[in-house]
Amino acid sequence: MTKSGFRIERDSLGELNVPADALWGPQTQRAVENFPISGLRMPRDFIRALGLIKWAAATANLELDALDPKRAGAIQKAALEVIDGKHDAHFPVDVFQTGSGTSTNMNVNEVVAHLASRYAGMPVHPNDHVNMGQSSNDVIPTAIHVSALLGIEQHLLPALAYLNAVISRRIGDIGEIVKTGRTHLMDAMPVTFGQELSGWRAQIELGTARVMGCRPRLQAIALGGTAVGTGINADPKFAALAARYLSVKSGLEVRPSPNYFESLSSQDAAVELSGQLKTLAVSLTKISNDLRWMNSGPLAGIGEITLPALQPGSSIMPGKVNPVIPEAVTMVAAQVIGNDATITIAGQSGNFQLNVMLPVIAYNVLQSIDLLSNAARVLADAAIAGFKVNETAVSAALERNPILITALNPVIGYELGAKIAKQAYAERRPVRDVAAEQTKLPADELARFLDPRELTKGGVKAEGGG
């Protein structure tokens, strides 16, 4: 021990100082010194996945008699503590590091070995024992898949189900209210709030299905391929055993990849998942922008709904309240779309037997999952659940909507319909009144054809097929 609060550690490159209280060893310390780039660390869920992998590997090696029970038990105990987040302060390696993620794999190996040596009362080596039957080249791709699956199962899918349920509840509350539809941001034929919100719900349901569709590819893990996909230095039974134990401990269903050369050299499954997360981001943007437009005003905008007032909206304009939740969600969406661009580029960086942008793929995929999970719940609770429909404004706009004349096209033709719509708009009169003057149709027939609620069902059919 040195007098300056450091201890001397050695690796194949020589000696260096490591903080005296650090659980990591020399390879981690070299990474800390080599990559002072962003201050961003690998996500908690990724470290958790690595802990699960080390536990499963030790359990498999114990069954294969490759590890003695004392060392295996100590590694299992240490790995469980990593899984539980008890030593998160000891994973300091920057996201922007060696492209294989070797620095992070060795960080976990060194922490687990340090703890396991203490528990076993004998030396436990980070490479020879903790990393037995493994390589960073198969461990890190496996951790990407496992951490992504955990994030999907435990965070994203429940959040999307919750958002879907809130939208469904609001359809039940306000679904029968008829409003002016809009295309090109211009007045169009009427719809109900239920119909409009059903579009949102379908987007969330389809987005959920797209994410779930990625799972079979994510469940195929690289563990067992070791350095280049040939499985060098791993027992032939190791991959299947480790996958089985990893499934048991994580609660996931994972299996050895059918082709390790693909699993080590490419990250197509992560690219696929990111693409579906981007689609979800686009869906949340659409929903958020609908809310912003409907809430616009309160006097000079559309003013169909009032979002919950959550905070003052201006540092200079008293009384102003802004749609802060939809705005926050659209920023989340922008970040996720940017993450997808990074993941796409990183996914292209497989050279021969290894992809060399694994850490940034892991970081961005997991950030996208977390952001979308949190944003979906916030959007549900703080915007959709509590907005109020301004029924007076909705009814007034609907009554004046000249586009309702579209329903009379089969009876009076497009040209006369256009003339009536223009006159109604110019004179600011209900279209029904102008149509009565221009067509001489009976009032009861006009009322049937121009009933907004009937128009949301497709409208009244003209006699004889029109």
mmCIF file of all heavy atoms in Angstrom, residues 351-379:
data_model
loop_
_atom_site.group_PDB
_atom_site.id
_atom_site.type_symbol
_atom_site.label_atom_id
_atom_site.label_comp_id
_atom_site.label_asym_id
_atom_site.label_seq_id
_atom_site.Cartn_x
_atom_site.Cartn_y
_atom_site.Cartn_z
ATOM 1 N N ASN A 351 -16.825 -5.626 -38.199
ATOM 2 C CA ASN A 351 -15.718 -5.909 -39.118
ATOM 3 C C ASN A 351 -15.263 -7.341 -38.912
ATOM 4 O O ASN A 351 -14.779 -7.700 -37.836
ATOM 5 C CB ASN A 351 -14.555 -4.940 -38.894
ATOM 6 C CG ASN A 351 -14.990 -3.485 -38.974
ATOM 7 O OD1 ASN A 351 -14.821 -2.735 -38.038
ATOM 8 N ND2 ASN A 351 -15.570 -3.093 -40.096
ATOM 9 N N PHE A 352 -15.423 -8.161 -39.926
ATOM 10 C CA PHE A 352 -15.071 -9.571 -39.850
ATOM 11 C C PHE A 352 -15.787 -10.252 -38.679
ATOM 12 O O PHE A 352 -16.992 -10.426 -38.727
ATOM 13 C CB PHE A 352 -13.548 -9.750 -39.793
ATOM 14 C CG PHE A 352 -12.865 -9.164 -41.008
ATOM 15 C CD1 PHE A 352 -12.075 -8.035 -40.899
ATOM 16 C CD2 PHE A 352 -13.053 -9.732 -42.254
ATOM 17 C CE1 PHE A 352 -11.464 -7.488 -42.011
ATOM 18 C CE2 PHE A 352 -12.457 -9.196 -43.387
ATOM 19 C CZ PHE A 352 -11.664 -8.068 -43.269
ATOM 20 N N GLN A 353 -15.103 -10.593 -37.586
ATOM 21 C CA GLN A 353 -15.734 -11.398 -36.534
ATOM 22 C C GLN A 353 -16.216 -10.593 -35.313
ATOM 23 O O GLN A 353 -16.587 -11.188 -34.306
ATOM 24 C CB GLN A 353 -14.771 -12.495 -36.048
ATOM 25 C CG GLN A 353 -14.757 -13.720 -36.955
ATOM 26 C CD GLN A 353 -14.150 -13.432 -38.313
ATOM 27 O OE1 GLN A 353 -12.975 -13.058 -38.415
ATOM 28 N NE2 GLN A 353 -14.940 -13.594 -39.362
ATOM 29 N N LEU A 354 -16.234 -9.272 -35.386
ATOM 30 C CA LEU A 354 -16.652 -8.515 -34.203
ATOM 31 C C LEU A 354 -17.194 -7.147 -34.576
ATOM 32 O O LEU A 354 -16.625 -6.455 -35.414
ATOM 33 C CB LEU A 354 -15.460 -8.337 -33.245
ATOM 34 C CG LEU A 354 -15.768 -7.626 -31.920
ATOM 35 C CD1 LEU A 354 -16.688 -8.488 -31.062
ATOM 36 C CD2 LEU A 354 -14.483 -7.295 -31.170
ATOM 37 N N ASN A 355 -18.295 -6.772 -33.929
ATOM 38 C CA ASN A 355 -18.754 -5.380 -33.978
ATOM 39 C C ASN A 355 -17.940 -4.581 -32.970
ATOM 40 O O ASN A 355 -17.688 -5.054 -31.854
ATOM 41 C CB ASN A 355 -20.238 -5.287 -33.637
ATOM 42 C CG ASN A 355 -20.764 -3.863 -33.715
ATOM 43 O OD1 ASN A 355 -20.481 -3.039 -32.851
ATOM 44 N ND2 ASN A 355 -21.534 -3.575 -34.750
ATOM 45 N N VAL A 356 -17.521 -3.385 -33.346
ATOM 46 C CA VAL A 356 -16.630 -2.620 -32.471
ATOM 47 C C VAL A 356 -17.258 -1.311 -31.998
ATOM 48 O O VAL A 356 -16.573 -0.329 -31.738
ATOM 49 C CB VAL A 356 -15.268 -2.354 -33.153
ATOM 50 C CG1 VAL A 356 -14.487 -3.649 -33.271
ATOM 51 C CG2 VAL A 356 -15.448 -1.702 -34.522
ATOM 52 N N MET A 357 -18.587 -1.294 -31.862
ATOM 53 C CA MET A 357 -19.269 -0.161 -31.224
ATOM 54 C C MET A 357 -20.305 -0.663 -30.226
ATOM 55 O O MET A 357 -21.362 -0.071 -30.047
ATOM 56 C CB MET A 357 -19.928 0.743 -32.266
ATOM 57 C CG MET A 357 -18.975 1.564 -33.098
ATOM 58 S SD MET A 357 -19.849 2.916 -33.938
ATOM 59 C CE MET A 357 -18.501 3.627 -34.898
ATOM 60 N N LEU A 358 -19.986 -1.749 -29.543
ATOM 61 C CA LEU A 358 -20.962 -2.379 -28.647
ATOM 62 C C LEU A 358 -21.383 -1.499 -27.471
ATOM 63 O O LEU A 358 -22.581 -1.428 -27.159
ATOM 64 C CB LEU A 358 -20.399 -3.712 -28.136
ATOM 65 C CG LEU A 358 -20.128 -4.773 -29.210
ATOM 66 C CD1 LEU A 358 -19.507 -6.013 -28.580
ATOM 67 C CD2 LEU A 358 -21.402 -5.130 -29.957
ATOM 68 N N PRO A 359 -20.468 -0.804 -26.785
ATOM 69 C CA PRO A 359 -20.913 -0.026 -25.622
ATOM 70 C C PRO A 359 -21.923 1.068 -25.963
ATOM 71 O O PRO A 359 -22.891 1.278 -25.232
ATOM 72 C CB PRO A 359 -19.604 0.559 -25.066
ATOM 73 C CG PRO A 359 -18.548 -0.394 -25.509
ATOM 74 C CD PRO A 359 -18.986 -0.826 -26.874
ATOM 75 N N VAL A 360 -21.713 1.770 -27.080
ATOM 76 C CA VAL A 360 -22.634 2.858 -27.410
ATOM 77 C C VAL A 360 -23.984 2.305 -27.865
ATOM 78 O O VAL A 360 -25.024 2.936 -27.653
ATOM 79 C CB VAL A 360 -22.013 3.807 -28.469
ATOM 80 C CG1 VAL A 360 -22.090 3.243 -29.882
ATOM 81 C CG2 VAL A 360 -22.668 5.181 -28.409
ATOM 82 N N ILE A 361 -23.988 1.122 -28.469
ATOM 83 C CA ILE A 361 -25.260 0.469 -28.785
ATOM 84 C C ILE A 361 -26.024 0.165 -27.501
ATOM 85 O O ILE A 361 -27.221 0.462 -27.380
ATOM 86 C CB ILE A 361 -25.025 -0.818 -29.597
ATOM 87 C CG1 ILE A 361 -24.523 -0.472 -31.005
ATOM 88 C CG2 ILE A 361 -26.302 -1.655 -29.681
ATOM 89 C CD1 ILE A 361 -24.118 -1.674 -31.830
ATOM 90 N N ALA A 362 -25.326 -0.438 -26.550
ATOM 91 C CA ALA A 362 -25.972 -0.770 -25.275
ATOM 92 C C ALA A 362 -26.533 0.466 -24.600
ATOM 93 O O ALA A 362 -27.690 0.486 -24.155
ATOM 94 C CB ALA A 362 -24.958 -1.461 -24.354
ATOM 95 N N TYR A 363 -25.726 1.505 -24.522
ATOM 96 C CA TYR A 363 -26.144 2.723 -23.822
ATOM 97 C C TYR A 363 -27.385 3.329 -24.474
ATOM 98 O O TYR A 363 -28.359 3.676 -23.790
ATOM 99 C CB TYR A 363 -25.001 3.734 -23.822
ATOM 100 C CG TYR A 363 -25.295 4.989 -23.035
ATOM 101 C CD1 TYR A 363 -25.061 5.043 -21.664
ATOM 102 C CD2 TYR A 363 -25.845 6.102 -23.656
ATOM 103 C CE1 TYR A 363 -25.350 6.182 -20.935
ATOM 104 C CE2 TYR A 363 -26.142 7.244 -22.931
ATOM 105 C CZ TYR A 363 -25.887 7.283 -21.574
ATOM 106 O OH TYR A 363 -26.195 8.424 -20.859
ATOM 107 N N ASN A 364 -27.376 3.441 -25.799
ATOM 108 C CA ASN A 364 -28.476 4.119 -26.473
ATOM 109 C C ASN A 364 -29.752 3.296 -26.489
ATOM 110 O O ASN A 364 -30.849 3.845 -26.337
ATOM 111 C CB ASN A 364 -28.056 4.491 -27.901
ATOM 112 C CG ASN A 364 -27.182 5.730 -27.939
ATOM 113 O OD1 ASN A 364 -26.626 6.129 -26.919
ATOM 114 N ND2 ASN A 364 -27.061 6.334 -29.090
ATOM 115 N N VAL A 365 -29.633 1.982 -26.673
ATOM 116 C CA VAL A 365 -30.830 1.136 -26.636
ATOM 117 C C VAL A 365 -31.497 1.231 -25.267
ATOM 118 O O VAL A 365 -32.718 1.422 -25.163
ATOM 119 C CB VAL A 365 -30.487 -0.327 -26.973
ATOM 120 C CG1 VAL A 365 -31.637 -1.254 -26.586
ATOM 121 C CG2 VAL A 365 -30.197 -0.482 -28.460
ATOM 122 N N LEU A 366 -30.701 1.110 -24.219
ATOM 123 C CA LEU A 366 -31.277 1.125 -22.873
ATOM 124 C C LEU A 366 -31.815 2.507 -22.518
ATOM 125 O O LEU A 366 -32.847 2.623 -21.850
ATOM 126 C CB LEU A 366 -30.237 0.665 -21.854
ATOM 127 C CG LEU A 366 -29.787 -0.790 -22.021
ATOM 128 C CD1 LEU A 366 -28.749 -1.157 -20.973
ATOM 129 C CD2 LEU A 366 -30.972 -1.742 -21.935
ATOM 130 N N GLN A 367 -31.144 3.569 -22.973
ATOM 131 C CA GLN A 367 -31.690 4.898 -22.720
ATOM 132 C C GLN A 367 -33.030 5.080 -23.425
ATOM 133 O O GLN A 367 -33.977 5.630 -22.849
ATOM 134 C CB GLN A 367 -30.715 5.985 -23.177
ATOM 135 C CG GLN A 367 -31.209 7.388 -22.812
ATOM 136 C CD GLN A 367 -30.398 8.492 -23.421
ATOM 137 O OE1 GLN A 367 -30.373 8.650 -24.638
ATOM 138 N NE2 GLN A 367 -29.720 9.271 -22.583
ATOM 139 N N SER A 368 -33.127 4.614 -24.654
ATOM 140 C CA SER A 368 -34.384 4.734 -25.390
ATOM 141 C C SER A 368 -35.508 3.985 -24.683
ATOM 142 O O SER A 368 -36.631 4.491 -24.573
ATOM 143 C CB SER A 368 -34.213 4.219 -26.821
ATOM 144 O OG SER A 368 -33.377 5.062 -27.579
ATOM 145 N N ILE A 369 -35.218 2.774 -24.200
ATOM 146 C CA ILE A 369 -36.236 1.998 -23.476
ATOM 147 C C ILE A 369 -36.688 2.749 -22.232
ATOM 148 O O ILE A 369 -37.891 2.871 -21.957
ATOM 149 C CB ILE A 369 -35.695 0.605 -23.123
ATOM 150 C CG1 ILE A 369 -35.533 -0.242 -24.390
ATOM 151 C CG2 ILE A 369 -36.618 -0.106 -22.128
ATOM 152 C CD1 ILE A 369 -34.812 -1.554 -24.171
ATOM 153 N N ASP A 370 -35.731 3.263 -21.460
ATOM 154 C CA ASP A 370 -36.071 3.979 -20.228
ATOM 155 C C ASP A 370 -36.865 5.253 -20.516
ATOM 156 O O ASP A 370 -37.872 5.539 -19.851
ATOM 157 C CB ASP A 370 -34.800 4.332 -19.452
ATOM 158 C CG ASP A 370 -34.199 3.131 -18.734
ATOM 159 O OD1 ASP A 370 -34.896 2.108 -18.626
ATOM 160 O OD2 ASP A 370 -33.037 3.219 -18.298
ATOM 161 N N LEU A 371 -36.415 6.021 -21.505
ATOM 162 C CA LEU A 371 -37.101 7.277 -21.827
ATOM 163 C C LEU A 371 -38.533 7.025 -22.283
ATOM 164 O O LEU A 371 -39.467 7.704 -21.836
ATOM 165 C CB LEU A 371 -36.331 8.029 -22.908
ATOM 166 C CG LEU A 371 -35.021 8.701 -22.500
ATOM 167 C CD1 LEU A 371 -34.315 9.276 -23.725
ATOM 168 C CD2 LEU A 371 -35.263 9.803 -21.469
ATOM 169 N N LEU A 372 -38.720 6.063 -23.165
ATOM 170 C CA LEU A 372 -40.063 5.784 -23.655
ATOM 171 C C LEU A 372 -40.960 5.233 -22.551
ATOM 172 O O LEU A 372 -42.148 5.567 -22.488
ATOM 173 C CB LEU A 372 -39.997 4.794 -24.823
ATOM 174 C CG LEU A 372 -39.405 5.348 -26.128
ATOM 175 C CD1 LEU A 372 -39.174 4.219 -27.124
ATOM 176 C CD2 LEU A 372 -40.304 6.420 -26.730
ATOM 177 N N SER A 373 -40.401 4.405 -21.682
ATOM 178 C CA SER A 373 -41.185 3.860 -20.565
ATOM 179 C C SER A 373 -41.683 4.977 -19.658
ATOM 180 O O SER A 373 -42.875 5.042 -19.300
ATOM 181 C CB SER A 373 -40.343 2.873 -19.759
ATOM 182 O OG SER A 373 -39.878 1.809 -20.560
ATOM 183 N N ASN A 374 -40.778 5.859 -19.283
ATOM 184 C CA ASN A 374 -41.152 6.954 -18.382
ATOM 185 C C ASN A 374 -42.082 7.947 -19.068
ATOM 186 O O ASN A 374 -43.053 8.432 -18.466
ATOM 187 C CB ASN A 374 -39.897 7.669 -17.886
ATOM 188 C CG ASN A 374 -39.013 6.776 -17.032
ATOM 189 O OD1 ASN A 374 -39.490 5.815 -16.430
ATOM 190 N ND2 ASN A 374 -37.728 7.055 -16.984
ATOM 191 N N ALA A 375 -41.798 8.261 -20.334
ATOM 192 C CA ALA A 375 -42.612 9.237 -21.052
ATOM 193 C C ALA A 375 -44.039 8.733 -21.244
ATOM 194 O O ALA A 375 -45.001 9.508 -21.153
ATOM 195 C CB ALA A 375 -41.982 9.560 -22.400
ATOM 196 N N ALA A 376 -44.193 7.442 -21.509
ATOM 197 C CA ALA A 376 -45.531 6.880 -21.706
ATOM 198 C C ALA A 376 -46.377 7.034 -20.447
ATOM 199 O O ALA A 376 -47.563 7.396 -20.514
ATOM 200 C CB ALA A 376 -45.428 5.410 -22.103
ATOM 201 N N ARG A 377 -45.782 6.787 -19.297
ATOM 202 C CA ARG A 377 -46.537 6.919 -18.042
ATOM 203 C C ARG A 377 -46.850 8.376 -17.725
ATOM 204 O O ARG A 377 -47.959 8.701 -17.277
ATOM 205 C CB ARG A 377 -45.752 6.273 -16.897
ATOM 206 C CG ARG A 377 -45.684 4.761 -16.991
ATOM 207 C CD ARG A 377 -45.044 4.125 -15.771
ATOM 208 N NE ARG A 377 -45.001 2.686 -15.863
ATOM 209 C CZ ARG A 377 -45.999 1.865 -15.517
ATOM 210 N NH1 ARG A 377 -47.135 2.385 -15.046
ATOM 211 N NH2 ARG A 377 -45.871 0.560 -15.629
ATOM 212 N N VAL A 378 -45.885 9.255 -17.952
ATOM 213 C CA VAL A 378 -46.126 10.678 -17.683
ATOM 214 C C VAL A 378 -47.202 11.225 -18.616
ATOM 215 O O VAL A 378 -48.093 11.978 -18.192
ATOM 216 C CB VAL A 378 -44.811 11.474 -17.836
ATOM 217 C CG1 VAL A 378 -45.079 12.972 -17.817
ATOM 218 C CG2 VAL A 378 -43.845 11.118 -16.704
ATOM 219 N N LEU A 379 -47.145 10.854 -19.886
ATOM 220 C CA LEU A 379 -48.161 11.308 -20.834
ATOM 221 C C LEU A 379 -49.541 10.817 -20.423
ATOM 222 O O LEU A 379 -50.527 11.567 -20.497
ATOM 223 C CB LEU A 379 -47.811 10.792 -22.237
ATOM 224 C CG LEU A 379 -48.709 11.272 -23.379
ATOM 225 C CD1 LEU A 379 -48.580 12.776 -23.585
ATOM 226 C CD2 LEU A 379 -48.370 10.524 -24.675
#
